[in-house]
Amino acid sequence: MSRAAAIAEWIARVEATRSAISADARARQGVGLLDDEQRRRSARSAPPSNMPAADRIIRGESITGGRDDERSRSLEEASGGGGGAQLGCAHPSRSAPIGGGSGGAGQGAVGRARQLAAGYQPAVVKVLSYAHGATRATRTGQYVQREDVPLETHDGRMLTDREAVADEIQAWATTFSKRAESQDVAAVRMKLEGVRDSDEGREIYEKAIAAGFAGHRYAYRLDTSASGELEARLVVALAGTAKERFRVRSAPAGDDGRGVAQKRFDRTSEARISERVQAATGTGTDAVQVMPGMSNHGRDGVTFRLNKLIEHGAARDDRGRIIANVAETRIAGREWGPALRSQSVRDTMHLMLSAKAGTDVEALRRAARAFLQDRFADHKFMFGVHVDKESAGHIHVHAVIAVKSESGQKIHPGPETFREWRQAYAQHAQAEGLRIVATSARERASSQSYGPRDKAIVDTAERPRASREARDRAYAADPANRRLIDNARQRIETARTNPIRLPRSDDDRKAVNESLIAWKTVSADQPGNPIAKDMLERLVMAQTVGAILHTIERRVDQLTKEEPAMAVSSEQMVRDLRLMNEAVSRTGDLLDGETKQQFREASARYLETLANRVDLQRASERGVERMTPAEVEAITGANSARLVERAREMQVREVREAVGAARLADRAVEAERQEEATAGLNATTQRELSAERAVVAGMERSAAQEAREAAAATQAARSLAQHPGQPLSPAVLQTDALARLRAEQEQIIRDIEASQKAEAQSQKGQSMATSSPSNR
């Protein structure tokens, strides 16, 4: 397809979407498709009555239903799908058919939609946790047995008390793994003999570190000894690219081998590091000392090690970013996670099956028993039914299952496994007369997801337990726990309001498209069904907004990553940018709540990238081959209004929270004074006073932390407004939000510099081609 045709095709797509959205807006104003109650619902929107499905808009079908033959020949099929398994066609259970219901297996998306429309509840199967070792497995089992809930075992025995649970786990423990968890990250000390603290010396160390640990995630800090020589302190991920993994061994010190054990890299790892350092710096291997220290497991181990590293100064990671505070170490822990190749030992799995309040408890118990015997016939397990949360709208079956079967096979559940488990659970539930069907969150465009840990964190903070009220109050008042509690509360609130989940991946779009077709069929058969109406509204909006995002993403990708021969002018880019902005603005007006926020944040990233590219293209057309830092900052400043706006929003929020925290601290101090004035001298009162003082101290620390964060947010907003192209100082990154803001700012600057460099290389290549003898 020619460049002109590609541009025309994309413009037509956006125009069609704009027309559809405009028609929807007029319909809302004219006939009032949403009543007041519906308008108040979070993340809900009525489907436009005359708007075709978004996939048909994107593929070129007009609003009146006509199909453009040219587009039909030239466009790839954009049904929103892509590679991967088809979610709409669930895989059948491995077991034989179960009488009484299919559970969703084999009946397709339409069958599942019909059951949901009839009031069936989605099957919920979750793994809550894993445990390693008899002690932790026993704690899990005793948690399941809380409130004297009897647990039934795989062979039909009943465990009625904590001692019985402990004895049962002890019997299982003979098959538990003896292997320790993988050591994923280590503290390392590097010493290059004779390299002193100077610009040249620091450059040598930087080359040595980059070469020695190439392919691994790392962060380092350079220190100066009393003699003036440099030394590097590092945190290194032991797993690297190309399946390389550094291994740390313990070796006894001393000639007689009786000294205190010391950590060392094994011979292979040490030789690789030393050889790379020598090749990069010319330093002899005998002058290179690389000594590992303590090692840790998983992402938490990364965060812990980095926190220890920055205690004596900021560190720099393998990608050149500064790590200077706790917020940045947490972000690094998340980023390093996929590269760790971490392996956790799992001996037992804590599985939960959920059902809504009012479900027949005995029927659920029978269904759970049949499901566990079906899926885990060769495993030891125990399970019990909990009805203590029925007032909150649901009841649960908790099961503790030995990961290793009697034949030695281990459970390694993945997405496909959970689909099979949901189908099997629904089949057994339907066989017992329960209205449960296997479906997935993404084919319902559902955002309902949070973990049991989130619930436990919020419960502890908001409803202190009677037996440990003082400790729970102190936990909630501790500033170190505030972000954890707020994040857990936010996840629960998102699950409660259940905003539309925007389909971002090919698989997500395919699932939404197939589900939408199914619900259209159900809605046509049952036009008065409120469930079908609500689901149709939800899926139409999810499909439309997801398709718009996908279209914008593809177009921005085309405009920012084209070959020089396919270059497009800045005027054409501006036209595309204007159309995209209008489509995003009109679409955002139709959304509410969290869904609107998701859409605006996702689309803003694409539009900002294109806005930067427009400015670079204009500079290129003026003949600019290399930009100064000031010019890069000017471009960043012109297109970073979103970052400045977000920084100012953070400033307002942090100042408000600081004022609130100060008021709470003042109230706590006053309450403590009143307690002291009226308190007696008995031991109970003294303990209560001690707990009250701990709460007051926590409140005061929280108020001080809030004040620091408010000051940091104010400084960040001022800095971004004045110098948008200058990365935020590490000193102001007091919160995760500010750390993410800085990372986003750095990404914008890197994108601009990379695009400018690519443009300069392109012009250089064209210049050389023009001046070559063959062109003369």
Side-chain angles (χ1 to χ4, degrees), residues 765-776:
Q766 292 177 352
S767 175
M768 291 177 63
T770 304
S771 61
S772 65
S774 60
N775 292 329
R776 293 177 182 171

Side-chain angles (χ1 to χ4, degrees), residues 199-340:
D199 291 343
E200 182 182 359
R202 289 179 175 270
E203 184 178 350
I204 290 173
Y205 262 92
E206 289 171 359
K207 289 180 179 179
I209 292 169
F213 303 104
H216 296 251
R217 298 306 307 267
Y218 62 80
Y220 68 92
R221 188 188 78 233
L222 295 181
D223 295 338
T224 307
S225 67
S227 63
E229 291 190 353
L230 285 171
E231 183 178 82
R233 300 281 182 169
L234 301 99
V235 173
V236 179
L238 298 178
T241 56
K243 298 185 179 180
E244 178 181 76
R245 190 178 189 94
F246 296 146
R247 302 192 182 279
V248 178
R249 303 284 186 247
S250 293
D255 296 336
D256 57 358
R258 297 181 182 179
V260 178
Q262 293 181 338
K263 300 285 186 181
R264 295 180 59 91
F265 284 118
D266 67 7
R267 292 181 180 179
T268 302
S269 303
E270 190 170 11
R272 285 177 179 172
I273 296 171
S274 297
E275 289 168 2
R276 293 171 184 171
V277 171
Q278 182 182 28
T281 65
T283 305
T285 55
D286 56 341
V288 179
Q289 298 180 39
V290 184
M291 295 153 284
M294 296 301 295
S295 54
N296 297 85
H297 172 76
R299 300 184 185 188
D300 289 342
V302 173
T303 303
F304 175 77
R305 279 288 136 217
L306 290 175
N307 282 331
K308 298 293 286 184
L309 179 66
I310 65 173
E311 282 181 356
H312 302 288
R316 185 181 296 274
D317 72 3
D318 54 300
R319 298 180 182 176
R321 290 181 293 191
I322 299 297
I323 300 175
N325 54 54
V326 173
E328 290 178 328
T329 62
R330 284 198 294 265
I331 292 174
R334 290 194 295 270
E335 290 181 348
W336 288 27
L340 298 178

Side-chain angles (χ1 to χ4, degrees), residues 577-595:
L577 180 60
R578 188 180 301 115
L579 291 172
M580 290 185 202
N581 270 313
E582 291 177 5
V584 165
S585 177
R586 291 171 183 255
T587 304
D589 290 343
L590 302 178
L591 304 175
D592 298 299
E594 183 69 21
T595 303

Side-chain angles (χ1 to χ4, degrees), residues 83-137:
Q86 203 175 35
L87 186 62
C89 300
H91 293 266
S93 171
R94 290 192 299 266
S95 59
I98 299 167
S102 66
Q107 61 180 334
V110 174
R112 292 192 297 276
R114 291 189 191 282
Q115 288 183 314
L116 289 170
Y120 279 59
Q121 56 183 291
V124 177
V125 181
K126 290 183 178 181
V127 172
L128 302 185
S129 64
Y130 293 93
H132 171 43
T135 301
R136 293 183 65 182

Side-chain angles (χ1 to χ4, degrees), residues 331-354:
I331 292 174
R334 290 194 295 270
E335 290 181 348
W336 288 27
L340 298 178
R341 299 208 299 269
S342 182
Q343 298 176 0
S344 299
V345 180
R346 298 171 174 178
D347 292 319
T348 60
M349 177 176 68
H350 182 188
L351 189 75
M352 183 191 73
L353 312 177
S354 184

Side-chain angles (χ1 to χ4, degrees), residues 56-76:
R56 291 163 63 194
I57 294 174
I58 299 302
R59 288 159 63 180
E61 186 166 329
S62 68
I63 299 299
T64 57
R67 183 67 186 269
D68 187 319
D69 291 338
E70 178 62 28
R71 293 181 194 162
S72 177
R73 289 191 295 271
S74 63
L75 292 180
E76 61 184 69

Side-chain angles (χ1 to χ4, degrees), residues 105 299 409 531 603:
R299 300 184 185 188
Q409 298 296 314
I531 296 176
S603 58

